[in-house]
Amino acid sequence: MTSAIRTEKLGKTYYSGFLRIPYVALQEVDLDVPEGSSFGFVGANGAGKTTTIKALMGLQRPTAGGAWIHGVSILDPAARARVGFLPERPYFYEHLSAAEFLDFYARLTDVPASERAPRITRLLERVDLLRFRDVPLGKFSKGMLQRAGLAQALIAEPDLLVLDEPMSGLDPIGRALVRDLILQERKAGRTVFFSSHILADVEAICDHVAMVDRGRLVRQGRVSELLEGATLHVEVVVRRGDVVETRRVPPAESDAAIDAARRDGWTIVSMHSVTKSLEQVLLGDVDRSRPLETKRLGVLA
Amino acid sequence: MTRALKRIQAVAANTFREAVRDKVLYSILFFAALFLLAALASREVALGDREKVVRGVGLGGISVVGAIIAIFLGVGLVYKEIERKTIYTLASKPVPRWQILLGKYFGLWATLAVEVGILTAMYTLIIGIEQGWPGSGVYVAMGMLMLELTLVTAFATLFSTFASPLSASAYTLCVYVIGHFADDLYTFGKASDNEAFKQMTLVLYRIVPNLGMFNVRTEAVHGVPIPGSEIAWATAYALGYTTAVLALAMVIFERRDFK
């Protein structure tokens, strides 16, 4: 499978102040986002998610390594020709109406003139903003801006969607809308790469996941593979007469446990595996012993 | 039209639209109109040819207002995009940064052209009613003013790529003021006995644009013809200098990180 995004030892160090004190924000990140995947990029606040995304989107130059989108170096603006991007917080031109806003980005992404108007109407309808097409963005609520931003990301009908914390700060209806939209795009064959610090969202939507912690990539892979072997125990509910019992047995001993219960006259009411959540699997990889200060001083080993 | 031109045009149109929807601009225009009307009052206190004083004050007012708008809008041109973080969606599009910068510059230039056009029309109307229609020299002077603003805006854009609006305003204002006294600075330095001062003024004279060459308002007011060669030289100077300043702005903008 080809890569929608690939990074090799991607790094970013900031220098601040007169003495140019280094701050390592990202170090040796090797990401591989397969085409057509729904890829969750997770990590705590300040872990390096947004720095990675900004580098990919040409907003910050990496100080080490390289990155490619659809095989084109991110240093070339053409790498972003088939990419739709929604930044972490929706900051858009307040003087533009929703329709003008989308028209502006359609022009910038070379959408043919004949297709612009129908596409804008279609997208505004999709994000439930058609009624507000002539309202300036300055009067939009945060949720409405987020939806307008999503429409903006989709205006060029991109093959890859990069969404930075698309659900943060949204109400439950807004979150459901974004989640549905991501699932629809994935179904349409597009690659969706999105960052989040809410692992439940990632588990519900993604087939691939990567985790960054303090500027380093700690794990990546298919969600199903990461959860493989993550069964904690099997819960077996048995009944004999009026007595109901719940028994927790190790996965490897579940068959034997059921046979033994039956021999003793118990009826099996139900059984199910209790597995680790994605959160438990990923957080197991986070090294909490390493102090954050080492990175701030730029003396990472 | 090539893709690059279409994108530059899209950014320019957006910049123009943003400027004309800004209420502050209308306040400046309103006060400029008041100033033009007030220029009529200057004849009451003027000595000599009072009609020429009124015409001179009017043209001077348009030139100052033009410079104020160029500096006011120019210094925030790039900075505001970064500060308001609208740059995130703009610079992440498959558009080279130089095209973004040029689009923003041309959008501001178009705003200035419309402003100067409106003020010139108001001037024509006021002077026309008061003294009879002004001669063609006035329009040549306004054309030269646009050349000057082309250059001043380029400096404002350059400073906007790396400095806050306050600092960028101070830098642009310095260029504007020193630029208008470039000839005097040169003469002053030449007359000095201090070698270090002489060298410093010479360096300043060579670095800072000579904005005095665009001022043909006195000729326009007195009806003195402005030679074509002077206009041609001023045009070449403004375009050459502007290209160099914008090229430097593009290099800085290209290397900027947006945090």
Side-chain angles (χ1 to χ4, degrees):
Chain A
M1 195 181 274
T2 49
S3 303
I5 299 172
R6 188 167 64 82
T7 71
E8 264 181 29
K9 300 195 182 307
L10 190 70
K12 178 70 185 175
T13 302
Y14 297 111
Y15 297 92
S16 62
F18 181 72
L19 297 173
R20 292 182 57 77
I21 297 167
Y23 171 85
V24 182
L26 217 55
Q27 199 174 39
E28 298 194 341
V29 171
D30 291 334
L31 256 183
D32 193 352
V33 180
E35 270 186 358
S37 65
S38 173
F39 200 106
F41 192 45
V42 301
N45 290 331
K49 303 186 298 291
T50 297
T51 305
T52 307
I53 288 177
K54 280 184 178 172
L56 292 172
M57 292 299 100
L59 300 172
Q60 294 188 357
R61 272 179 179 264
T63 47
W68 297 263
I69 296 175
H70 297 128
V72 182
S73 165
I74 55 161
L75 300 178
D76 182 351
R80 292 178 288 281
R82 291 153 54 202
V83 180
F85 170 53
L86 176 70
E88 187 177 358
R89 288 186 189 88
Y91 297 104
F92 304 123
Y93 300 101
E94 295 185 351
H95 68 281
L96 295 178
S97 70
E100 287 171 340
F101 167 71
L102 292 183
D103 184 69
F104 174 52
Y105 288 104
R107 286 170 191 269
L108 283 182
T109 46
D110 307 321
V111 176
S114 58
E115 285 179 34
R116 283 203 290 266
R119 199 180 287 185
I120 288 167
T121 304
R122 214 166 46 236
L123 276 173
L124 285 174
E125 198 166 20
R126 197 169 163 199
V127 296
D128 199 21
L129 287 176
L130 195 55
R131 287 170 295 153
F132 307 103
R133 65 174 295 147
D134 298 318
V135 176
L137 295 183
K139 294 186 176 166
F140 274 28
S141 69
K142 193 182 174 191
M144 289 164 81
L145 280 175
Q146 192 82 340
R147 274 142 57 198
L150 276 167
Q152 167 273 141
L154 291 166
I155 194 73
E157 296 187 342
D159 295 331
L160 166 66
L161 267 178
V162 177
L163 315 172
D164 194 2
E165 299 277 2
M167 289 182 240
S168 91
L170 292 183
D171 59 24
I173 296 169
R175 292 166 74 89
L177 192 139
V178 173
R179 196 175 53 234
D180 291 348
L181 203 134
I182 291 174
L183 291 171
Q184 284 164 17
E185 290 304 310
R186 182 182 148 198
K187 210 172 169 185
R190 295 198 169 111
T191 312
V192 183
F193 177 81
F194 79 99
S195 72
S196 179
H197 60 274
I198 303 163
L199 285 166
D201 286 342
V202 176
E203 197 169 354
I205 300 169
C206 296
D207 46 41
H208 286 72
V209 68
M211 183 168 194
V212 271
D213 177 46
R214 298 161 209 224
R216 285 178 186 269
L217 195 71
V218 289
R219 197 150 181 186
Q220 71 175 320
R222 283 180 173 276
V223 173
S224 55
E225 285 167 8
L226 290 177
L227 291 178
E228 212 168 81
T231 305
L232 294 170
H233 56 259
V234 175
E235 247 177 35
V236 184
V237 180
V238 292
R239 189 160 85 187
R240 191 166 61 186
D242 293 336
V243 183
V244 177
E245 276 182 19
T246 301
R247 295 175 180 176
R248 288 180 180 171
V249 293
E253 296 168 20
S254 57
D255 285 346
I258 289 165
D259 290 344
R262 281 187 175 137
R263 273 199 305 273
D264 294 343
W266 293 90
T267 307
I268 311 299
V269 177
S270 70
M271 61 177 287
H272 72 274
S273 300
V274 176
T275 56
K276 283 184 188 174
S277 66
L278 184 62
E279 186 166 347
Q280 286 170 307
V281 171
L282 290 173
L283 290 182
D285 295 320
V286 176
D287 176 10
R288 293 171 192 286
S289 61
R290 187 157 54 93
L292 195 64
E293 283 69 27
T294 54
K295 189 176 73 148
R296 297 205 185 284
L297 292 170
V299 289
L300 268 177
Chain B
M1 208 192 296
T2 66
R3 275 182 177 185
L5 276 179
K6 279 183 185 170
R7 290 163 177 171
I8 291 169
Q9 190 191 42
V11 178
N14 187 43
T15 308
F16 180 78
R17 191 152 31 190
E18 183 171 14
V20 296
R21 288 181 184 176
D22 192 337
K23 290 186 183 100
V24 178
L25 200 71
Y26 293 100
S27 309
I28 297 173
L29 258 183
F30 175 72
F31 283 109
L34 278 185
F35 180 83
L36 282 178
L37 286 170
L40 291 173
S42 64
R43 66 180 163 202
E44 303 303 327
V45 292
L47 298 171
D49 190 335
R50 294 180 173 189
E51 291 196 339
K52 282 178 184 164
V53 171
V54 171
R55 292 207 292 271
V57 171
L59 287 181
I62 295 175
S63 131
V64 169
V65 169
I68 289 173
I69 296 173
I71 296 172
F72 174 75
L73 293 179
V75 294
L77 203 62
V78 175
Y79 187 86
K80 263 162 71 179
E81 290 272 1
I82 299 168
E83 185 69 13
R84 294 185 312 197
K85 298 183 179 170
T86 45
I87 196 75
Y88 289 173
T89 37
L90 186 56
S92 61
K93 293 286 176 274
V95 182
R97 288 193 186 176
W98 66 268
Q99 292 175 10
I100 295 174
L101 194 83
L102 269 192
K104 295 213 67 76
Y105 174 78
F106 285 130
L108 176 55
W109 191 90
T111 311
L112 286 167
V114 170
E115 297 282 336
V116 170
I118 290 171
L119 291 175
T120 306
M122 284 163 69
Y123 174 87
T124 303
L125 200 67
I126 291 168
I127 298 296
I129 292 168
E130 185 69 16
Q131 305 177 4
W133 302 114
S136 62
V138 166
Y139 305 105
V140 174
M142 289 300 99
M144 293 286 262
L145 171 65
M146 272 316 295
L147 288 176
E148 180 185 334
L149 295 182
T150 300
L151 189 42
V152 172
T153 308
F155 270 102
T157 306
L158 166 67
F159 296 136
S160 171
T161 58
F162 62 85
S164 70
L166 196 65
S167 309
S169 302
Y171 302 151
T172 315
L173 202 61
C174 280
V175 170
Y176 183 76
V177 172
I178 299 173
H180 271 283
F181 292 104
D183 284 333
D184 298 331
L185 196 72
Y186 181 68
T187 315
F188 191 47
K190 225 174 160 186
S192 171
D193 293 331
N194 186 326
E195 194 55 36
F197 182 73
K198 200 180 263 185
Q199 287 304 318
M200 195 188 79
T201 52
L202 190 67
V203 168
L204 264 180
Y205 175 74
R206 290 207 172 131
I207 292 175
V208 176
N210 186 352
L211 298 178
M213 75 159 66
F214 302 108
N215 184 359
V216 291
R217 292 190 292 277
T218 311
E219 289 88 329
V221 166
H222 289 87
V224 176
I226 301 152
S229 59
E230 201 175 310
I231 299 169
W233 167 238
T235 306
Y237 183 84
L239 295 183
Y241 216 126
T242 299
T243 306
V245 174
L246 285 182
L248 184 59
M250 283 173 201
V251 170
I252 295 170
F253 190 53
E254 185 66 42
R255 300 169 66 91
R256 265 210 80 157
D257 269 357
F258 305 122
K259 288 179 186 169

